[in-house]
Each structure stands twice: as C-alpha cells, then as structure tokens.
Amino acid sequence: MATFLYRTGRFAFRRRHFVVLIWVALLALAGVGAANAPAAGSSSFSVPGTESQKAFDLLDERFPGAGADGATARVVFKAPAGEKMTERANKKAVRKVVGELRQGAEVASVDDPYTAGAVSKDRTIAYARVAYDVPGMELRDSSREALETAAAHARDSGLTVEIGGDALQTAPETGATEVIGIAVAAVVLVITFGSLVSAGLPLVTALIGVGIGVSSITALASTLDLGSTTSILAMMIGLAVGIDYALFIVSRFRAELAEGRQGEEAAGRAVGTAGSAVVFAGLTVVIALVGLSVVDIPMLTKMGVAAAGTVVIAVLIALTLVPALIGFAGKRVRPANAAGLFRRRGGDARHHAHRVPRAERPNMGTRWARFVIRRPVAVLLLCVAALGAVAVPAGSIELGLGDDGSQPASTTQRRAYDLLSEGFGPGFNGPLVVVTDARGTDDPRGAVRDVAADLKGLDDVAAVTPATFNKAGDTAIITVVPASKPSSGETEELVGAIRAAGGGITDRTGAEVSVTGTTALNIDTSQKLTDAMLPYLALVVGLAFLLLIVVFRSVLVPLKAALGFLLSVMAALGAVVAVFQWGWLGSLLGVEQTGPIMSMMPIFLVGVVFGLAMDYEVFLVTRIREAHVHGERPGQAIVTGFRHSARVVTAAAVIMIAVFAGFIGSHEAMIKSIGFGLATAVFFDAFVVRMAIVPAVLALLGRRAWWLPSWLDRILPNVDVEGELLRPSDAADEVEASGPAAEPEPARA
C-alpha cells in the first residue's frame, strides 16, 4: 500500500492543476444539486420489529386518512387567579381562538375544549387540540405564525396561554459557536506549524470535504428521507477528521523536507507513510459508523452511513488534494527552522539539513515519553483510576427520548407541558394508545369491552377513554392515561402490564392487543438500543481488531487499543450523565433542563468514539512501530515515536475537541449532548489513554508488544504502513537531490 500511495502523492503533486480542478468540479456539482433539490420533509422515525411500530402500522392500515403522521398542537389556557375557564368571558376568548385556528390552510381539525371535555376538574385549565394535514417539519411558517398569533390574542384577554406539541418543531440550527470551534482549530494549526500557509491547508481542504459531503446529503435528503440531524452529524465528523487527516499529511511532508528531500519526493513519501495511517484510521471510523446499521433503526443507519461518506471524502482529499495544494504552496510550506534549506542547492541542501542541529534540547514529546518509560506502573495505575472515577456516574444512567418535558423551562412547549400536568395529571402528556385488532373474533365489540375492563383494573392507570372503532368495526383504539409522568419507571411497568394482560385477552377471545404512542415507542426504542449494544460492540470492535492486527502485525497492541477505548468511552458516558442527568456544571454549559440521557447516546458514542480513538492509536503507534521496524530498541522506539508524533497528535486532538465543543452551543438538546460527549471522549482518549496509558503499557510489554504467531504472520497481508518498501529509493533520492532542483516547485500560473 505504501508504494501505491507514494505514487499517488507524487502524481497529485505533479498534476496538481488537474487534481484541484476535479475537486472543485465535485464541490460545484454537489452545490448545484443541493440548491436545486426539493425541500426535504420530516424524516420518518420507525423502529422495525417492535410492538409499538407494528401497532402504528396497523393504525395506518385500519384507519386510513386519520392523519397519524400529521402535526399536532395543544393550545393550553389557564384562567386568571380566582377565575374559572367556564366563565363567560373566558369561554368567549377561547372560542375566538378556536375559530381563528380553524381558518388555517393546513389545519385538519380543532377541538373545542368545552365540547371535547378538555377542561380540568377544578375548571382552571383547558386545552384545544389542533391537528394538521402535514408533519411538523413540513408546516409552513405561516401556519406556525397563525398559531402563535391566536395565542397572543387570548393572552390579551388576560388568560395564560402556552403551546405544546410537534407543530412548533423546527430543524435544529447550527450556531455561532461552531465557527468559534473552527477559529480555535485555526489558532492551533498556526501555533503547531508556525506558518499561515501550512495552517490554512488543513482548514481549506476540510471545508471543501464538508462542503461536498453536506451538499450531497442535502441534494439526496428528500429522495433518501434524511433528517436535518444527519447533515449536522456529517458536518461535525467531517470537519474533525478532515482537519486531522490533512494535518498529518502536511506535518509528515514538512518532516520529509527537513530531511532534505525535494517537493515531489517529499509529497510522495508523506502520502506513502502518513497516508497509510490515514487510510486505516479512516477505515476504523467508517466501520464504526456503518456498523450502526446493526441496531436496525433506519434513522440511525442513515446518520451513520452519511457521516461515513464524509469520512471517505476526507480520506480521499487528504491523499490527493492536500499534496496538490502543497505543490501550489511550494516553499511556503517549509518547516519554520529550515529557511536555509531552500537557499542551497542539491547536495549542499541535504548536507546543510543534516548539519544544522534540530533542537538544543529534547522536545516536549521526548521528555514526556522518557518520563512515562521511567514510571510506567505509576502512570498506568493513576490514569486507570482517574478514568474509572469519572466513569462511576455511568452506572446510574437513565435512558429515554426527549419530549416537551425535557425542553428548557423558558420555552412555551415546556410551560404548556407543566400546565397540562397541573390540570390533568403527570401522565396526561404521555398517553398510551392501545390498539385492539378484533378482526378474527366472533364478537369484536365484546372483545374490546373486555380489553377496556382489564385496563381499568391495572395499577398506575389514571383514566381509560371510550373505544373508537374504525369503519369496518373490527379494530378499536383505547387511550390510557397513566398516573405517572411519561419518562418514569412506573409508566414503563404499566406498558409491560398492558402487554401481559393483552396476552390473556388473546387467549380468551382471539383479539390481539398492542400498545403504541410516543411514550410506548420511546420505551421500545430504548430497549432495542440496549439489546443491540453487545452485538454492535462485538461486530465493530471485532472487525477493527482484525484490521489493527494487519496494520501493527501484533496481537497485544490492538488488544490494548480496544481496552483503552472502553476506558475512555465509559469515562465520557460518566461525564455526560453527571452534566445532563445530574446537572453538575450544567449552568456553565447552558443545560437548562436535566433528565434521562437520549437513548441513542451510548451506542452512538461507542460507534463514533471508537473510530476516532483508533485514529490516534494508528497515527501514534505506527510511528513507534516504524522506529521499531528500523531497528530501535522498544524504549527508544517509544521515545522516537513521541518525538515525531506527540506534538501533531496533541494538536489534532485539540482541534477535534474544539470542533466538537462548538456544537455544545446548539439550542437542540440532542446536538448539545452529542457535542459534549464527543469532545469529552476525545479528550480522555487522546490525552489520557493514547498519550499516557499507551506508552506505559508498551514500556511494560517491551518486545512482547510486537508478538505475532508465526502462522498468523505468514497469512497476513503486508500493508507496509511504515513505508519500509520506500527505503530502497533513498539512493535514487540522493541522486535526485544533487540535481539543480532541490526545492519544491513554486506555484505556476
């Protein structure tokens, strides 16, 4: 592989006009496609194989035209202190609002609270249910404005009015903090390279890659039913890996220049060595993201595949566009301490490069590696204990999917949620929809009566509404209002009790009973994600373990990499629980409402962080292995690897943390928690696991770290990540360097 990538790097450097033209054309094509693509609707959410999804599908089949996918809103009214909602003036104000809402172009129906029984027992709170013909994400702005205007009119009459439901749902937006993350990355790159041109290359290429990826997702969003969160995740991952991959290529190119090689040869060697690490690091990320399909939740699968696509683009750009742009930049990419290198010719330049001392004293990476090697046991125990302590909160994790109750207290959705809980009970915001399929029974209505009777006798049931039959009279809907709030353990137990009772009814009457609704769907989704965790870990970690055996030609190094990952991801989960569930430091991060952690967070964090963790493992350890393959002792190889890689890996980690942390400023709770979780995980993995635990373990293992059974060594392909096959060209490079062109070619018009 190193030889192929070496030739690719030289070709891209030499034919830079052609390579840049291709990438610019792809960016333009993706941009045109995104601009002309139809507006994407709301991404459908389904959980195949669950009872709640089967019941939902049955409702679509037996109750056609019921608008099950349409948006809904609840306009909640509260009377002024000392008054009732049944007083004449308040009734008039509410009915005026109902009349206004019925005029909406996308409105399917509006319930009058006084005829629909939507007034609380103490008559202080009432609500009007508004049903729309289209999903919430597809509602026109005019419909939302009409809803808010009608509510404002009721407020003018003295009523307290709040609005809940998914009619106010909008696509999550990126904020200014993402730009701050990119700015931090730019500062880190300038400090690392000491050159604006060198710092600008990773940023420019990463933005081009993200532009192509996100534009492609936008262009295909309507066709492939991609949600708005998909493009945000792709942007998050694409920026992080795009900058990092380009950073490693540029850094290795500058190192090759410092050795006295001319531009094209240096570009070829940079891509042949660091490029090999980029390829395998990218493969681990792709495996982790595509592996999310194991969960069998279409939305999660689409998010993973789309993000994996941006990673593939980032890898291809690092291998082709980066060396091409290096060719245009010419000598401006040179190392800061090698200005004299370009003022000399041929052999003099090489002689000068070897004659000038690299540094008066060992760099920070060298000093740190030597410190760890001297005290490997103490460093290892301290780091494992620290990560273990941070991971403790993960044992108390509570999973769930957000509803209006998880919104910040300042939002109208949250205030409407609280008013409904106050007036109708905490379970009113999460009703359970019990579907009875009585098509195979002799007495459908009798079977439904049995179901209703059994439901009323269950614990934690606040109310059971009369059954609603379809036109054929063989299927009925019964709404059950729990006595507990939707995210409580009692409500989850009630869902299980209804399903258990339904089994007995099926045995007696032949009618099939199933539970659906948002609350039941959330419970089933959380359970499915929990059940999928072990198979997902086995698949992703197993495939990556095999891949890393090929890369490092070792069994213990990949094993150490996987165990280190588990430490960092558990610590990250512990931090997420402490902040978003317990509320620790929540005010500093803008967390207004604590509650259960999003059900997708653990498996999503595992997938993404595993791929990113292996990035640093590959970049750092391949340089250590390269020194070991070239004959250095184990301890000295660790020092050499850190001398060349620690600064760059540190910069890459800071950049990735900055990019992910930028998303903490999002107003969307899911995006905020994902950004925090990823930033925290990268911090733990890069600075604790890879920079401390890895050298400590390698120092303790010594030569045993690179042990590989002889039979396995014979059958494994030799991918030559270290670029060993490129060494024979050194002689030719010496001759080439003695010629009249010992410096990178300047940019040509």
Side-chain angles (χ1 to χ4, degrees):
M1 174 176 286
T3 303
F4 170 76
L5 293 177
Y6 167 78
R7 292 170 180 167
T8 300
R10 294 195 63 159
F11 173 84
F13 185 96
R14 191 168 56 250
R15 299 287 185 263
R16 47 189 173 272
H17 295 87
F18 174 70
V19 172
V20 171
L21 181 62
I22 288 178
W23 283 109
V24 171
L26 288 174
L27 179 61
L29 183 63
V32 170
N36 295 303
S42 60
S43 177
S44 59
F45 182 81
S46 62
V47 190
T50 60
E51 179 178 314
S52 54
Q53 185 64 47
K54 293 175 182 176
F56 187 84
D57 295 340
L58 182 64
L59 287 177
D60 276 346
E61 176 189 341
R62 303 288 175 84
F63 291 83
D69 290 334
T72 60
R74 281 174 171 173
V75 184
V76 187
F77 308 91
K78 183 175 183 180
E83 297 183 16
K84 304 293 184 183
M85 288 303 304
T86 51
E87 295 179 13
R88 183 176 179 180
N90 292 335
K91 270 190 176 183
K92 183 179 178 181
V94 170
R95 283 177 168 157
K96 182 180 178 181
V97 171
V98 170
E100 287 183 38
L101 293 174
R102 283 174 176 166
Q103 304 303 315
E106 296 177 307
V107 173
S109 64
V110 182
D111 296 336
D112 185 327
Y114 302 102
T115 58
V119 181
S120 63
K121 290 181 180 180
D122 62 3
R123 294 177 294 170
T124 60
I125 297 174
Y127 71 92
R129 181 180 180 275
V130 186
Y132 292 89
D133 294 322
V134 297
M137 298 292 289
E138 298 180 18
L139 272 180
R140 293 197 292 264
D141 290 339
S142 58
S143 295
R144 295 192 182 94
E145 291 170 2
L147 186 63
E148 293 168 351
T149 300
H153 289 164
R155 292 189 187 102
D156 292 339
S157 66
L159 297 174
T160 298
V161 186
E162 304 295 348
I163 306 171
D166 61 352
L168 296 183
Q169 181 182 6
T170 57
E173 297 179 357
T174 55
T177 50
E178 289 89 329
V179 179
I180 296 175
I182 296 175
V184 172
V187 172
V188 173
L189 287 169
V190 171
I191 294 174
T192 301
F193 288 133
S195 163
L196 289 176
V197 174
S198 297
L201 282 176
L203 284 176
V204 170
T205 54
L207 290 174
I208 290 174
V210 168
I212 294 173
V214 173
S215 296
S216 300
I217 291 171
T218 304
L220 298 172
S222 179
T223 304
L224 301 180
D225 188 28
L226 303 177
S228 55
T229 308
T230 303
S231 60
I232 294 179
L233 174 64
M235 180 188 302
M236 188 186 299
I237 302 298
L239 271 176
V241 301
I243 294 174
D244 278 7
Y245 294 167
L247 166 64
F248 282 102
I249 298 293
V250 173
S251 176
R252 187 61 184 253
F253 173 77
R254 286 158 56 94
E256 295 296 334
L257 287 181
E259 295 294 330
R261 297 184 176 89
Q262 70 161 343
E264 184 177 327
E265 177 67 15
R269 286 180 172 272
V271 176
T273 51
S276 297
V278 166
V279 169
F280 284 102
L283 275 176
T284 59
V285 179
V286 169
I287 288 172
L289 290 171
V290 174
L292 291 171
S293 59
V294 172
V295 184
D296 193 27
I297 295 180
M299 186 185 78
L300 194 59
T301 299
K302 293 171 185 176
M303 290 172 63
V305 172
T310 61
V311 174
V312 172
I313 293 172
V315 171
L316 294 176
I317 282 180
L319 301 180
T320 57
L321 183 59
V322 171
L325 293 180
I326 284 174
F328 282 109
K331 63 178 67 178
R332 286 169 291 183
V333 188
R334 69 184 183 271
N337 63 347
L341 174 65
F342 296 96
R343 290 196 293 268
R344 297 177 178 267
R345 294 288 185 180
D348 292 337
R350 178 173 291 273
H351 175 73
H352 178 77
H354 285 292
R355 184 166 51 84
V356 176
R358 291 184 179 268
E360 295 298 328
R361 60 190 180 91
N363 62 19
M364 181 65 73
T366 300
R367 296 197 299 274
W368 173 251
R370 288 173 178 169
F371 170 80
V372 175
I373 290 174
R374 286 196 301 269
R375 301 171 179 83
V377 175
V379 170
L380 180 60
L381 292 178
L382 178 62
C383 291
V384 171
L387 290 179
V390 178
V392 168
S396 303
I397 190 170
E398 297 176 7
L399 300 177
L401 293 178
D403 55 14
D404 285 348
S406 62
Q407 296 277 358
S410 58
T411 62
T412 186
Q413 296 98 317
R414 171 61 187 277
R415 291 195 292 263
Y417 181 97
D418 291 340
L419 284 176
L420 289 172
S421 296
E422 177 187 339
F424 301 92
F428 189 79
N429 285 290
L432 304 174
V433 180
V434 180
V435 183
T436 304
D437 181 5
R439 176 172 288 184
T441 66
D442 297 330
D443 181 12
R445 292 189 177 272
V448 172
R449 282 195 298 270
D450 286 347
V451 172
D454 285 1
L455 293 175
K456 290 177 182 178
L458 295 176
D459 294 336
D460 204 52
V461 172
V464 177
T465 65
T468 301
F469 283 86
N470 64 341
K471 290 182 179 180
D474 58 8
T475 306
I477 299 174
I478 302 173
T479 301
V480 177
V481 179
S484 304
K485 63 180 183 178
S487 59
S488 67
E490 292 82 359
T491 300
E492 184 174 350
E493 291 175 3
L494 175 59
V495 171
I498 294 174
R499 289 170 174 169
I505 292 171
T506 301
D507 294 338
R508 294 198 313 267
T509 67
E512 295 183 2
V513 177
S514 52
V515 186
T516 188
T518 302
T519 301
L521 188 63
N522 289 351
I523 292 171
D524 288 348
T525 301
S526 297
Q527 187 60 50
K528 185 162 188 175
L529 288 165
T530 301
D531 294 342
M533 178 65 78
L534 287 179
Y536 175 70
L537 271 175
L539 174 68
V540 172
V541 177
L543 288 176
F545 182 78
L546 295 176
L547 182 66
L548 293 179
I549 287 179
V550 174
V551 173
F552 297 129
R553 307 194 74 79
S554 164
V555 174
L556 297 179
V557 171
L559 180 61
K560 174 262 308 169
L563 294 177
F565 151 74
L566 291 176
L567 278 174
S568 58
V569 79
M570 289 304 297
L573 271 178
V576 169
V577 170
V579 173
F580 291 89
Q581 184 177 310
W582 294 358
W584 293 4
L585 304 178
S587 59
L588 297 178
L589 299 174
V591 180
E592 298 183 34
Q593 179 63 35
T594 60
I597 304 302
M598 181 185 64
S599 299
M600 295 183 185
M601 174 61 79
I603 199 164
F604 178 79
L605 196 63
V606 165
V608 176
V609 173
F610 181 78
L612 299 179
M614 294 306 103
D615 276 5
Y616 299 116
E617 180 75 14
V618 170
F619 288 130
L620 183 62
V621 180
T622 49
R623 200 66 191 254
I624 296 174
R625 175 168 172 76
E626 182 178 341
H628 174 73
V629 168
H630 292 164
E632 293 188 8
R633 298 187 308 276
Q636 184 57 39
I638 296 171
V639 173
T640 300
F642 269 73
R643 181 174 69 246
H644 291 295
S645 300
R647 179 182 177 89
V648 180
V649 168
T650 300
V654 172
I655 289 169
M656 195 171 283
I657 291 169
V659 171
F660 288 149
F663 289 86
I664 298 176
S666 173
H667 298 296
E668 186 75 14
M670 182 177 73
I671 301 300
K672 182 188 289 288
S673 61
I674 288 176
F676 175 81
L678 291 178
T680 305
V682 170
F683 173 81
F684 290 145
D685 196 86
F687 293 108
V688 181
V689 174
R690 308 303 154 189
M691 301 298 289
I693 292 179
V694 165
V697 172
L698 290 178
L700 290 173
L701 291 175
R703 295 187 182 277
R704 294 186 298 275
W706 310 107
W707 171 78
L708 185 69
S710 56
W711 62 269
L712 186 56
D713 186 48
R714 288 192 297 270
I715 63 176
L716 286 179
N718 183 13
V719 295
D720 189 29
V721 177
E722 303 82 17
E724 184 68 15
L725 296 178
L726 300 181
R727 292 176 66 83
S729 64
D730 281 343
D733 188 43
E734 291 282 356
V735 174
E736 191 174 293
S738 65
E743 62 184 65
E745 298 179 30
R748 297 179 181 176

